[in-house]
Amino acid sequence: MPGLSYRDGLHADVMRGEEVQLLGAVAAGLVPPGALLCQPGTHCKWATLDKGRITRFTTAMTGELFALLRAHGVLSRQLGHPVEPGAAFLEGVAEGAKRDLAASLFAIRARGVLGIADDAHAASFASGLLIGADTAARIEPGTTVHILADAALGTLYASAIDALGGHSHHIDSQAAFVAGITRIQDLAA
């Protein structure tokens, strides 16, 4: 597959491979032909389908930002604990929905220094903050989102989508990929 590109004013985006899974989800009947799909990961893809075709998409560097924050900078010492989809994560989602990301990230540091929040929950809060900001920028209350991800990451995104008033549906990403690659093979034959 050659990949896809998308341009809308100043917004430009590229996709190299994820389209196989997106189109496979439609081909296998795992999602309706008109749907919003989310592929969480290092570079989270949000794709809109109309009549089984990708009509627009956005890539957010959500996972990469989290990894960078965890490995470098002032927050790295606080973000070493596992991310859990509990109360701290959902607090981060709510904070992320405010979309003041730079200030909200620094507040993690300040909350730790002032003893307001336990550093054991900082990674969950930061993950929720990033996923919440990403999700709030893409959905309105009542929006249905089909998530193509592994169980752990899919659960985090489903929690954020549901907390922000959306409806999440977890889709088997492996089945979508197999259906997509099979469809491509059938078309090439």
Side-chain angles (χ1 to χ4, degrees):
M1 290 293 289
L4 298 173
S5 64
Y6 178 77
R7 287 180 264 177
D8 182 14
L10 293 177
H11 179 82
D13 215 325
V14 294
M15 182 182 299
R16 297 177 314 171
E18 295 92 348
E19 69 277 8
V20 174
Q21 197 176 60
L22 294 169
L23 298 174
V26 174
L30 300 172
V31 300
L36 175 61
L37 285 79
C38 175
Q39 292 173 295
T42 303
H43 301 131
C44 182
K45 302 285 187 200
W46 293 82
T48 302
L49 302 179
D50 185 26
K51 298 177 185 166
R53 295 170 126 19
I54 300 168
T55 57
R56 68 179 292 130
F57 64 92
T58 298
T59 304
M61 295 174 52
T62 313
E64 183 172 352
L65 286 173
F66 184 71
L68 288 168
L69 290 168
R70 206 171 215 185
H72 306 286
V74 71
L75 297 179
S76 63
R77 285 190 219 170
Q78 291 175 274
L79 302 182
H81 293 278
V83 173
E84 304 289 337
F89 178 82
L90 292 175
E91 288 172 9
V93 169
E95 182 66 23
K98 295 176 184 175
R99 301 180 193 171
D100 191 6
L101 196 56
S104 296
L105 284 168
F106 188 78
I108 295 169
R109 169 84 172 123
R111 289 167 28 137
V113 168
L114 297 173
I116 296 170
D118 185 346
D119 283 350
H121 303 293
S124 294
F125 182 85
S127 178
L129 179 65
L130 293 168
I131 291 172
D134 183 14
T135 301
R138 318 268 169 257
I139 71 165
E140 299 290 330
T143 302
T144 297
V145 182
H146 301 271
I147 304 167
L148 294 142
D150 65 61
L153 195 51
T155 296
L156 294 175
Y157 270 81
S159 294
I161 290 163
D162 296 342
L164 295 174
H167 306 287
S168 62
H169 295 282
H170 198 158
I171 305 302
D172 182 343
S173 58
Q174 292 295 346
F177 175 78
V178 170
I181 206 73
T182 300
R183 179 79 175 125
I184 291 166
Q185 180 182 353
D186 292 346
L187 291 173

